[in-house]
Structures are given as C-alpha cells and as structure tokens.
Amino acid sequence: MAKYVMTKTSDNEFRWVLKAGNGEPLLTSETFTTKQNCRASIESSKKNLGDDSFKKLDSVRHQPYFTQVAGNHQPLATSEMYASAQSRDNGIESVRKNAPDAQIEDLT
C-alpha cells in the first residue's frame, strides 16, 4: 500500500515523500518550516488529483517528469525523472490511484 513518509531534514525542516506500494518514490515535496504545514501539504496532495493538478514537464536533459500543484497553483511536490513520457503519465496515474488512501508514516 502507498504511504506518505514525513521526515525532518538536516536543517530542521519537514518534507514528505509519497511512496508506491513497492517502496518506490512517486513524489517528493518541497520543505516546510513546520510539521503542521507539511501535514497540510499532504492533505492537499490527497485532494488535488485533477488534470489541472499535474504539470507535465521536461528537464534540461529532456527527461520527462511532473509536478503536482495545489488548488492555488502553488507547487506541492515533484516526481522523479522518467525515461519516457508514457512512464511519466503512468506515474501521474499511480499518484491519482494511490494518494487518496495512502497512510501517513511520521518519521520525524
């Protein structure tokens, strides 16, 4: 089962990673100064799953990836780099499928 894993960074900020059932990362959030803001971002990620919540992009090395944005269009998280646009699109579908029911594992 997918899960959001919350961790504390070396500079005492918080971030989350949405991991698929196989443990592979789907999304990594930006950092937050408070645990409360990190948890709020997870809740936003669980809810913002429509087409307009995902921005399909290409890196400077032409590797496909995506970002998830909140309702206010602020970035929530970024995916890994993918080998193909189809793999990226599969990653988006995996987030849509897994995020709503993903548990939160707090490792802070």
Side-chain angles (χ1 to χ4, degrees):
M1 174 168 235
K3 62 184 173 181
Y4 286 91
V5 179
M6 277 182 30
T7 58
K8 201 171 198 181
T9 66
S10 60
D11 57 350
N12 289 322
E13 293 196 338
F14 301 87
R15 90 164 15 113
W16 55 261
V17 175
L18 175 59
K19 293 189 176 188
N22 64 3
E24 291 295 316
L26 294 169
L27 288 170
T28 301
S29 75
E30 60 184 71
T31 58
F32 301 92
T33 55
T34 67
K35 186 187 277 193
Q36 180 180 6
N37 287 346
C38 188
R39 281 192 174 271
S41 176
I42 290 171
E43 292 307 317
S44 185
S45 174
K46 288 180 167 218
K47 294 175 185 170
N48 288 287
L49 301 170
D51 288 342
D52 59 340
S53 296
F54 295 97
K55 305 298 178 201
K56 297 178 181 182
L57 303 163
D58 288 305
S59 73
V60 294
R61 295 186 177 167
H62 307 290
Q63 293 176 292
Y65 72 103
F66 65 92
T67 60
Q68 184 185 29
V69 297
N72 62 3
H73 303 288
Q74 294 298 310
L76 291 169
T78 303
S79 74
E80 64 181 356
M81 298 296 159
Y82 290 95
S84 69
Q86 183 61 52
S87 295
R88 175 195 56 208
D89 294 349
N90 292 344
I92 291 170
E93 288 309 310
S94 185
V95 171
R96 285 186 172 135
K97 176 183 173 190
N98 291 295
D101 299 319
Q103 299 297 312
I104 299 171
E105 182 177 346
D106 187 345
L107 301 180
T108 62

